[in-house]
Amino acid sequence: MKNFDFRNPTHILFGKGRIADLKDQVPADAKVLVIYGGGSAERTGVLAQVREALAGRTIVEFGGIEPNPRFATALKAVEMIGKEDITFLLAVGGGSVIDATKFIAAAALYDGDPWEILTTHGAVVKGAMPFGSVLTLPATASEMNAGSVITNAEKGAKLPFMSAHCYPAFSVLDPEVTYTLPPRQIANGVADAFVHIIEQYLTYPAAAQVQDGFAETLLRTLIDLGPKALETPKDYDIRANLMWTATLALNGLIGAGVPQDWASHMIGHEITALNDTDHARTLAVVLPSLMNDQRGPKREKLLQYAANVWDIRTGSDDERIDAAIEATRGFFESMGIKTRLGDYDVAASGIDHIVAALKDHGMTALGEHGAITPDDARRILEAAQ
């Protein structure tokens, strides 16, 4: 196991009716900017619960955060913070809204060009405004980590950043607010969480038995409960377990002291930047192809994954690896997520664009060994057609 530091300062308030507890988390004298996405937060009554919980405080609302949060939209919120003398931010939504809020919190205190926050992957961030979140879509674990991904449509770029200043002070997780989510969003959330775990687990052995065992349990939970969540959308226990699994998938715990990959994410980001395909669906396209392409370097962990996650224990090594990859693809398909580039209208010219974008954004040494080049990414994408 590698040396590591682990610290997660986010206070989680989990369970039914916890939105009411916002009154005890947001400072009484705060002027709050409530940040949300489209109309679903209003239609489902989540915003009404937030307003009720924050009665007596001064609240300003900023809606319109996109599913792949836009740089330009976030800057409008930063401008509003200055005009309204905002002192606290509250994200109400899924990972995209929380990601945008992290960027807004950092950009509001940054003296330079806010684009530098993304091009330096957060290295220039020296502080951020305080903020919390009310999670409505379990998927990204942005509610309990310090990372964010922002899309600049004008530049055709989707870039991640991370800063220790960008942990939410608190996050409210009420599984009941997920009951009304469309099946597509539930499926995307399960796939996103699944690949988050894989990126931290499916690398090479690091003698990290606790992290591996934890990751395998989370993966099996998603495989078991993902389809059930689509069949019985108002089963509280299923939704509660999915919500907590998605949070644990990327709150830093299973990634402590182990090598990590993230190539599927970096390649997937460029697909989204190209044609706005749902982030989770880009991962479902890239991951099976990458697993097959990198079966040599990942051999030991692929065999462990086959045995401990899918209970595939017979056949030759290559047969077991093949079966595990097909099981992974089959899982995504069972959730209604297509796993081929052609399903998302990405042709050969699109692959050329994606590979060029990887080079432009410095994504030239990806994977746990830093050995996946843009040429390797081309091969992975061509195999995913």
Side-chain angles (χ1 to χ4, degrees):
M1 193 185 307
K2 297 181 176 182
N3 291 1
F4 65 87
D5 288 7
F6 178 75
R7 173 181 177 270
N8 194 312
T10 302
H11 177 184
I12 296 294
L13 296 89
F14 189 100
K16 299 178 183 181
R18 299 307 302 274
I19 294 175
D21 293 334
L22 283 173
K23 64 182 183 297
D24 300 320
Q25 303 302 317
V26 176
D29 60 349
K31 189 169 186 181
V32 185
L33 183 65
V34 177
I35 301 169
Y36 59 96
S40 62
E42 190 76 82
R43 289 192 304 272
T44 59
V46 174
L47 276 177
Q49 291 185 61
V50 169
R51 294 181 190 119
E52 182 179 356
L54 296 180
R57 291 171 175 80
T58 302
I59 298 174
V60 179
E61 297 184 6
F62 183 91
I65 300 295
E66 303 86 354
N68 292 297
R70 298 298 198 267
F71 179 74
T73 304
L75 290 185
K76 292 177 183 177
V78 173
E79 184 179 358
M80 183 176 285
I81 288 169
K83 287 182 177 179
E84 300 288 345
D85 295 323
I86 300 296
T87 62
F88 193 91
L89 309 180
L90 182 66
V92 180
S96 293
V97 173
I98 303 172
D99 277 15
T101 302
K102 290 175 181 177
F103 176 76
I104 293 163
L109 299 188
Y110 185 61
D111 291 332
D113 180 353
W115 183 238
E116 294 171 353
I117 294 172
L118 296 166
T119 57
T120 65
H121 305 299
V124 298
V125 177
K126 304 303 179 186
M129 290 186 64
F131 70 96
S133 81
V134 176
L135 181 68
T136 62
L137 172 59
T140 70
S142 192
E143 68 276 5
M144 200 180 180
N145 66 40
S148 168
V149 183
I150 302 295
T151 297
N152 189 323
E154 291 73 24
K155 295 180 180 292
K158 182 174 180 179
L159 299 179
F161 85 93
M162 183 171 290
S163 170
H165 300 287
C166 291
Y167 282 98
F170 63 84
S171 289
V172 177
L173 280 63
D174 181 347
E176 289 188 319
V177 307
T178 72
Y179 287 173
T180 58
L181 288 171
R184 182 185 185 94
Q185 289 187 318
I186 289 296
N188 282 353
V190 169
D192 199 4
F194 189 95
V195 183
H196 285 161
I197 300 164
I198 288 288
E199 298 277 31
Q200 301 164 87
Y201 165 78
L202 197 65
T203 55
Y204 56 84
Q209 291 176 268
V210 173
Q211 294 92 320
D212 278 2
F214 203 166
E216 289 161 359
T217 296
L218 295 175
L219 290 168
R220 290 194 302 267
T221 300
L222 292 173
I223 292 165
D224 178 36
L225 297 185
K228 292 177 181 176
L230 298 179
E231 295 166 5
T232 54
K234 293 189 177 181
D235 185 309
Y236 180 83
D237 289 334
I238 289 174
R239 290 301 174 95
N241 278 280
L242 282 182
M243 185 172 251
W244 190 225
T245 298
T247 298
L248 291 170
L250 197 56
N251 71 346
L253 191 58
I254 65 170
V258 300
Q260 300 185 24
D261 185 346
W262 300 105
S264 292
H265 271 71
M266 298 305 104
I267 298 169
H269 286 169
E270 302 299 352
I271 300 174
T272 295
L274 172 68
N275 64 9
D276 221 23
T277 296
D278 298 4
H279 170 63
R281 291 169 190 253
T282 71
L283 301 179
V285 167
V286 176
L287 178 64
S289 184
L290 185 143
M291 290 166 72
N292 187 57
D293 189 86
Q294 297 293 305
R295 63 195 295 148
K298 294 181 181 290
R299 192 175 191 83
E300 288 183 74
K301 289 304 285 284
L302 276 166
L303 291 168
Q304 181 179 330
Y305 170 67
N308 293 351
V309 175
W310 293 106
D311 199 26
I312 298 169
R313 302 177 187 275
T314 60
S316 67
D317 285 1
D318 282 335
E319 287 171 342
R320 282 179 281 154
I321 290 171
D322 287 341
I325 294 171
E326 284 310 303
T328 305
R329 186 185 299 279
F331 172 61
F332 294 142
E333 296 277 353
S334 76
M335 297 290 295
I337 298 177
K338 299 297 184 182
T339 58
R340 295 291 182 182
L341 273 180
D343 296 317
Y344 304 98
D345 299 321
V346 178
S349 59
I351 292 177
D352 291 340
H353 179 93
I354 293 164
V355 172
L358 286 169
K359 293 177 182 176
D360 289 344
H361 299 145
M363 304 294 175
T364 57
L366 301 177
E368 61 268 30
H369 298 290
I372 298 178
T373 67
D375 287 339
D376 295 323
R378 178 186 298 280
R379 186 176 64 246
I380 289 165
L381 289 167
E382 288 174 346
Q385 283 184 305

